[in-house]
Amino acid sequence: MAGKEAPSADDESLIAGKRSPPSVDVTVVAEKEAPTADDATMDAVQRRLMFEDECILVDENDNVVGHDSKYNCHLMEKIDSENLLHGPSQRSETKVTFPRVWTNTCCSHPLYRDSELIEKDFLGVRNAAQRKLLDELGIQAEHVPVDQFVPVGRMLYKAPSDGKWGEHELDYLLFTVRDVEVNPNPDEVADVMYVDREKLKELLRKADSGEDDIKLSPWFRLVVDNFMFKWWDHVEKGTLGEVVDLKTIHKLTS
């Protein structure tokens, strides 16, 4: 899963951060949305990121068509009306979308900047993953070299968070296996855990039953249900290359 420290035979895998590294949102460039009265209650850090970060807009075939603010890209009104499409830790309670849900290690949200628009060898997505691992989990760049990220696949999904916010993303799913020191950013991450297969299955069971108020992000659940355990086998065998498929865009529904 994107930006995730992949499970190995001996080590548990880290569940942290946000969403899988997307190739980012939307089909058309929308006009800037002005802040509303409701936005006044938004956490200051999240508010700054929502209005300053420019997400890459793509069509459903992953062709870049423009850019727009993270704020616009996560408004369900624009996702539905304009088809905006952009590209487990426990998410911070201050997150605008899906606060305090458990999810994949990190979501890169590539931005509309030269270093993250590089298509050759998926370098833009890898650069974004390295940047967000530092931003969200305090993992230093030298501990996660960009050439050690393995892009495995792509998926397209849409999921509402509440009446106002939601997600519509084309995500690149990345693996890396590294020995790192984690220092979570409390503005992004409320908690982290390492899981082996059985712990992950237990987390799924609790989410399904509502036990311990466990909730999973819809994108993480899609990755787990459709790919995770099969990929886990190949990580352990050292044969991950056998399942790499970057030609297909898996259109999934939560």
Side-chain angles (χ1 to χ4, degrees):
M1 62 186 64
K4 174 164 199 277
E5 188 173 341
S8 68
D10 299 319
D11 299 319
E12 295 177 328
S13 106
L14 176 65
I15 295 189
K18 292 179 38 176
R19 63 211 64 163
S20 33
S23 171
V24 203
D25 305 7
V26 215
T27 312
V28 294
V29 181
E31 295 180 356
K32 295 295 181 185
E33 186 78 8
T36 67
D38 292 342
D39 299 328
T41 61
M42 193 184 298
D43 172 77
V45 171
Q46 297 299 329
R47 190 175 191 277
R48 176 178 60 80
L49 294 174
M50 290 293 274
F51 286 98
E52 292 183 3
D53 281 359
E54 288 286 309
C55 290
I56 304 166
L57 308 184
V58 298
D59 61 22
E60 292 194 357
N61 294 312
D62 202 16
N63 299 306
V64 176
V65 298
H67 59 95
D68 204 351
S69 68
K70 185 181 290 187
Y71 183 98
N72 276 354
C73 288
H74 290 85
L75 283 171
M76 279 307 301
E77 177 183 0
K78 289 187 175 291
I79 288 173
D80 288 335
S81 65
E82 301 176 15
N83 196 30
L84 289 188
L85 169 64
H86 72 277
S89 60
Q90 188 180 29
R91 291 164 64 84
S92 167
E93 63 183 12
T94 65
K95 297 294 289 181
V96 175
T97 60
F98 299 98
R100 296 200 65 82
V101 304
W102 289 94
T103 190
N104 51 293
T105 305
C106 178
C107 298
S108 72
H109 257 172
L111 300 179
Y112 195 79
R113 55 177 62 168
D114 289 345
S115 62
E116 297 180 15
L117 285 166
I118 302 171
E119 295 184 5
K120 182 176 174 57
D121 298 324
F122 310 101
L123 184 56
V125 176
R126 297 176 197 236
N127 285 337
Q130 185 187 66
R131 170 179 59 84
K132 288 303 290 181
L133 284 171
L134 176 61
D135 290 350
E136 296 190 3
L137 292 168
I139 299 174
Q140 299 300 311
E142 59 267 26
H143 296 154
V144 282
V146 292
D147 62 358
Q148 295 300 303
F149 289 105
V150 180
V152 180
R154 295 181 292 174
M155 76 175 197
L156 174 67
Y157 79 95
K158 181 194 294 187
S161 175
D162 56 23
K164 181 174 182 177
W165 305 105
E167 304 282 357
H168 191 199
E169 297 185 345
L170 196 157
D171 291 353
Y172 281 74
L173 307 173
L174 308 181
F175 275 82
T176 190
V177 181
R178 309 292 296 174
D179 185 9
V180 298
E181 181 177 340
V182 177
N183 296 291
N185 173 359
D187 286 320
E188 297 285 345
V189 178
D191 199 1
V192 299
M193 70 169 76
Y194 282 88
V195 297
D196 57 19
R197 293 187 206 218
E198 294 309 310
K199 287 183 180 178
L200 179 55
K201 289 177 181 177
E202 178 66 5
L203 196 67
L204 298 177
R205 186 194 65 77
K206 287 184 175 181
D208 288 341
S209 66
E211 185 177 338
D212 297 336
D213 199 30
I214 295 292
K215 296 181 177 64
L216 304 179
S217 72
W219 59 89
F220 179 54
R221 188 60 190 257
L222 287 171
V223 171
V224 172
D225 289 346
N226 289 277
F227 312 114
M228 190 66 201
F229 291 105
K230 176 181 69 175
W231 288 347
W232 203 315
D233 290 337
H234 284 278
V235 171
E236 293 181 346
K237 295 174 183 176
T239 57
L240 189 58
E242 294 182 8
V243 294
V244 170
D245 175 12
L246 291 160
K247 293 182 180 180
T248 305
I249 297 175
H250 299 276
K251 297 182 179 182
L252 307 176
T253 55
S254 57

PDB file of all heavy atoms in Angstrom, residues 232-246:
ATOM      1  N   TRP A 232       1.513  -9.525   0.385  1.00  0.00           N
ATOM      2  CA  TRP A 232       2.300  -9.872   1.570  1.00  0.00           C
ATOM      3  C   TRP A 232       3.078 -11.165   1.322  1.00  0.00           C
ATOM      4  O   TRP A 232       4.262 -11.269   1.654  1.00  0.00           O
ATOM      5  CB  TRP A 232       1.359 -10.035   2.759  1.00  0.00           C
ATOM      6  CG  TRP A 232       1.968  -9.866   4.111  1.00  0.00           C
ATOM      7  CD1 TRP A 232       3.146 -10.394   4.568  1.00  0.00           C
ATOM      8  CD2 TRP A 232       1.423  -9.111   5.193  1.00  0.00           C
ATOM      9  NE1 TRP A 232       3.358 -10.019   5.871  1.00  0.00           N
ATOM     10  CE2 TRP A 232       2.318  -9.238   6.274  1.00  0.00           C
ATOM     11  CE3 TRP A 232       0.249  -8.378   5.362  1.00  0.00           C
ATOM     12  CZ2 TRP A 232       2.084  -8.638   7.513  1.00  0.00           C
ATOM     13  CZ3 TRP A 232       0.027  -7.788   6.590  1.00  0.00           C
ATOM     14  CH2 TRP A 232       0.931  -7.909   7.645  1.00  0.00           C
ATOM     15  N   ASP A 233       2.434 -12.144   0.727  1.00  0.00           N
ATOM     16  CA  ASP A 233       3.103 -13.408   0.388  1.00  0.00           C
ATOM     17  C   ASP A 233       4.337 -13.157  -0.467  1.00  0.00           C
ATOM     18  O   ASP A 233       5.404 -13.733  -0.234  1.00  0.00           O
ATOM     19  CB  ASP A 233       2.149 -14.342  -0.368  1.00  0.00           C
ATOM     20  CG  ASP A 233       1.039 -14.898   0.516  1.00  0.00           C
ATOM     21  OD1 ASP A 233       1.222 -14.931   1.751  1.00  0.00           O
ATOM     22  OD2 ASP A 233      -0.011 -15.298  -0.035  1.00  0.00           O
ATOM     23  N   HIS A 234       4.195 -12.296  -1.466  1.00  0.00           N
ATOM     24  CA  HIS A 234       5.303 -12.050  -2.390  1.00  0.00           C
ATOM     25  C   HIS A 234       6.420 -11.240  -1.734  1.00  0.00           C
ATOM     26  O   HIS A 234       7.603 -11.427  -2.074  1.00  0.00           O
ATOM     27  CB  HIS A 234       4.793 -11.344  -3.639  1.00  0.00           C
ATOM     28  CG  HIS A 234       4.075 -12.267  -4.578  1.00  0.00           C
ATOM     29  ND1 HIS A 234       4.739 -13.078  -5.472  1.00  0.00           N
ATOM     30  CD2 HIS A 234       2.754 -12.533  -4.741  1.00  0.00           C
ATOM     31  CE1 HIS A 234       3.864 -13.791  -6.163  1.00  0.00           C
ATOM     32  NE2 HIS A 234       2.652 -13.479  -5.737  1.00  0.00           N
ATOM     33  N   VAL A 235       6.075 -10.339  -0.808  1.00  0.00           N
ATOM     34  CA  VAL A 235       7.107  -9.610  -0.080  1.00  0.00           C
ATOM     35  C   VAL A 235       7.970 -10.590   0.704  1.00  0.00           C
ATOM     36  O   VAL A 235       9.202 -10.516   0.703  1.00  0.00           O
ATOM     37  CB  VAL A 235       6.488  -8.556   0.859  1.00  0.00           C
ATOM     38  CG1 VAL A 235       7.558  -7.959   1.767  1.00  0.00           C
ATOM     39  CG2 VAL A 235       5.818  -7.449   0.050  1.00  0.00           C
ATOM     40  N   GLU A 236       7.319 -11.533   1.378  1.00  0.00           N
ATOM     41  CA  GLU A 236       8.053 -12.510   2.170  1.00  0.00           C
ATOM     42  C   GLU A 236       8.932 -13.413   1.307  1.00  0.00           C
ATOM     43  O   GLU A 236      10.020 -13.821   1.714  1.00  0.00           O
ATOM     44  CB  GLU A 236       7.070 -13.353   2.989  1.00  0.00           C
ATOM     45  CG  GLU A 236       6.354 -12.554   4.075  1.00  0.00           C
ATOM     46  CD  GLU A 236       5.408 -13.407   4.899  1.00  0.00           C
ATOM     47  OE1 GLU A 236       5.104 -14.540   4.468  1.00  0.00           O
ATOM     48  OE2 GLU A 236       4.988 -12.942   5.974  1.00  0.00           O
ATOM     49  N   LYS A 237       8.467 -13.717   0.108  1.00  0.00           N
ATOM     50  CA  LYS A 237       9.215 -14.605  -0.786  1.00  0.00           C
ATOM     51  C   LYS A 237      10.260 -13.853  -1.611  1.00  0.00           C
ATOM     52  O   LYS A 237      11.064 -14.487  -2.310  1.00  0.00           O
ATOM     53  CB  LYS A 237       8.248 -15.315  -1.743  1.00  0.00           C
ATOM     54  CG  LYS A 237       7.273 -16.256  -1.061  1.00  0.00           C
ATOM     55  CD  LYS A 237       6.259 -16.796  -2.077  1.00  0.00           C
ATOM     56  CE  LYS A 237       5.216 -17.685  -1.429  1.00  0.00           C
ATOM     57  NZ  LYS A 237       4.183 -18.120  -2.416  1.00  0.00           N
ATOM     58  N   GLY A 238      10.233 -12.525  -1.541  1.00  0.00           N
ATOM     59  CA  GLY A 238      11.142 -11.739  -2.356  1.00  0.00           C
ATOM     60  C   GLY A 238      10.767 -11.727  -3.822  1.00  0.00           C
ATOM     61  O   GLY A 238      11.612 -11.534  -4.695  1.00  0.00           O
ATOM     62  N   THR A 239       9.470 -11.936  -4.107  1.00  0.00           N
ATOM     63  CA  THR A 239       8.995 -12.023  -5.496  1.00  0.00           C
ATOM     64  C   THR A 239       7.959 -10.948  -5.802  1.00  0.00           C
ATOM     65  O   THR A 239       7.074 -11.149  -6.631  1.00  0.00           O
ATOM     66  CB  THR A 239       8.398 -13.419  -5.773  1.00  0.00           C
ATOM     67  OG1 THR A 239       7.331 -13.679  -4.824  1.00  0.00           O
ATOM     68  CG2 THR A 239       9.459 -14.500  -5.646  1.00  0.00           C
ATOM     69  N   LEU A 240       8.058  -9.802  -5.147  1.00  0.00           N
ATOM     70  CA  LEU A 240       7.059  -8.744  -5.332  1.00  0.00           C
ATOM     71  C   LEU A 240       6.960  -8.317  -6.797  1.00  0.00           C
ATOM     72  O   LEU A 240       5.882  -7.947  -7.271  1.00  0.00           O
ATOM     73  CB  LEU A 240       7.388  -7.540  -4.450  1.00  0.00           C
ATOM     74  CG  LEU A 240       6.338  -6.428  -4.348  1.00  0.00           C
ATOM     75  CD1 LEU A 240       5.017  -6.962  -3.823  1.00  0.00           C
ATOM     76  CD2 LEU A 240       6.846  -5.290  -3.475  1.00  0.00           C
ATOM     77  N   GLY A 241       8.070  -8.385  -7.506  1.00  0.00           N
ATOM     78  CA  GLY A 241       8.065  -7.997  -8.907  1.00  0.00           C
ATOM     79  C   GLY A 241       7.081  -8.781  -9.749  1.00  0.00           C
ATOM     80  O   GLY A 241       6.619  -8.298 -10.795  1.00  0.00           O
ATOM     81  N   GLU A 242       6.722  -9.985  -9.301  1.00  0.00           N
ATOM     82  CA  GLU A 242       5.798 -10.827 -10.068  1.00  0.00           C
ATOM     83  C   GLU A 242       4.372 -10.284 -10.080  1.00  0.00           C
ATOM     84  O   GLU A 242       3.579 -10.652 -10.958  1.00  0.00           O
ATOM     85  CB  GLU A 242       5.793 -12.252  -9.503  1.00  0.00           C
ATOM     86  CG  GLU A 242       7.119 -12.991  -9.676  1.00  0.00           C
ATOM     87  CD  GLU A 242       7.060 -14.407  -9.143  1.00  0.00           C
ATOM     88  OE1 GLU A 242       5.943 -14.851  -8.791  1.00  0.00           O
ATOM     89  OE2 GLU A 242       8.114 -15.056  -9.069  1.00  0.00           O
ATOM     90  N   VAL A 243       4.028  -9.432  -9.120  1.00  0.00           N
ATOM     91  CA  VAL A 243       2.656  -8.924  -9.050  1.00  0.00           C
ATOM     92  C   VAL A 243       2.554  -7.447  -9.420  1.00  0.00           C
ATOM     93  O   VAL A 243       1.473  -6.864  -9.351  1.00  0.00           O
ATOM     94  CB  VAL A 243       2.045  -9.155  -7.648  1.00  0.00           C
ATOM     95  CG1 VAL A 243       1.869 -10.632  -7.383  1.00  0.00           C
ATOM     96  CG2 VAL A 243       2.896  -8.501  -6.555  1.00  0.00           C
ATOM     97  N   VAL A 244       3.672  -6.838  -9.796  1.00  0.00           N
ATOM     98  CA  VAL A 244       3.622  -5.443 -10.213  1.00  0.00           C
ATOM     99  C   VAL A 244       2.765  -5.309 -11.473  1.00  0.00           C
ATOM    100  O   VAL A 244       2.981  -6.016 -12.464  1.00  0.00           O
ATOM    101  CB  VAL A 244       5.040  -4.890 -10.470  1.00  0.00           C
ATOM    102  CG1 VAL A 244       4.971  -3.518 -11.137  1.00  0.00           C
ATOM    103  CG2 VAL A 244       5.822  -4.805  -9.168  1.00  0.00           C
ATOM    104  N   ASP A 245       1.784  -4.431 -11.417  1.00  0.00           N
ATOM    105  CA  ASP A 245       0.901  -4.186 -12.564  1.00  0.00           C
ATOM    106  C   ASP A 245       0.544  -2.705 -12.571  1.00  0.00           C
ATOM    107  O   ASP A 245      -0.366  -2.267 -11.861  1.00  0.00           O
ATOM    108  CB  ASP A 245      -0.359  -5.033 -12.480  1.00  0.00           C
ATOM    109  CG  ASP A 245      -1.360  -4.713 -13.592  1.00  0.00           C
ATOM    110  OD1 ASP A 245      -0.969  -4.004 -14.551  1.00  0.00           O
ATOM    111  OD2 ASP A 245      -2.509  -5.162 -13.501  1.00  0.00           O
ATOM    112  N   LEU A 246       1.274  -1.925 -13.354  1.00  0.00           N
ATOM    113  CA  LEU A 246       1.017  -0.498 -13.417  1.00  0.00           C
ATOM    114  C   LEU A 246       0.303  -0.095 -14.700  1.00  0.00           C
ATOM    115  O   LEU A 246       0.092   1.079 -14.954  1.00  0.00           O
ATOM    116  CB  LEU A 246       2.341   0.264 -13.264  1.00  0.00           C
ATOM    117  CG  LEU A 246       2.908   0.136 -11.842  1.00  0.00           C
ATOM    118  CD1 LEU A 246       4.390   0.459 -11.819  1.00  0.00           C
ATOM    119  CD2 LEU A 246       2.152   1.032 -10.876  1.00  0.00           C
TER     120      LEU A 246
END
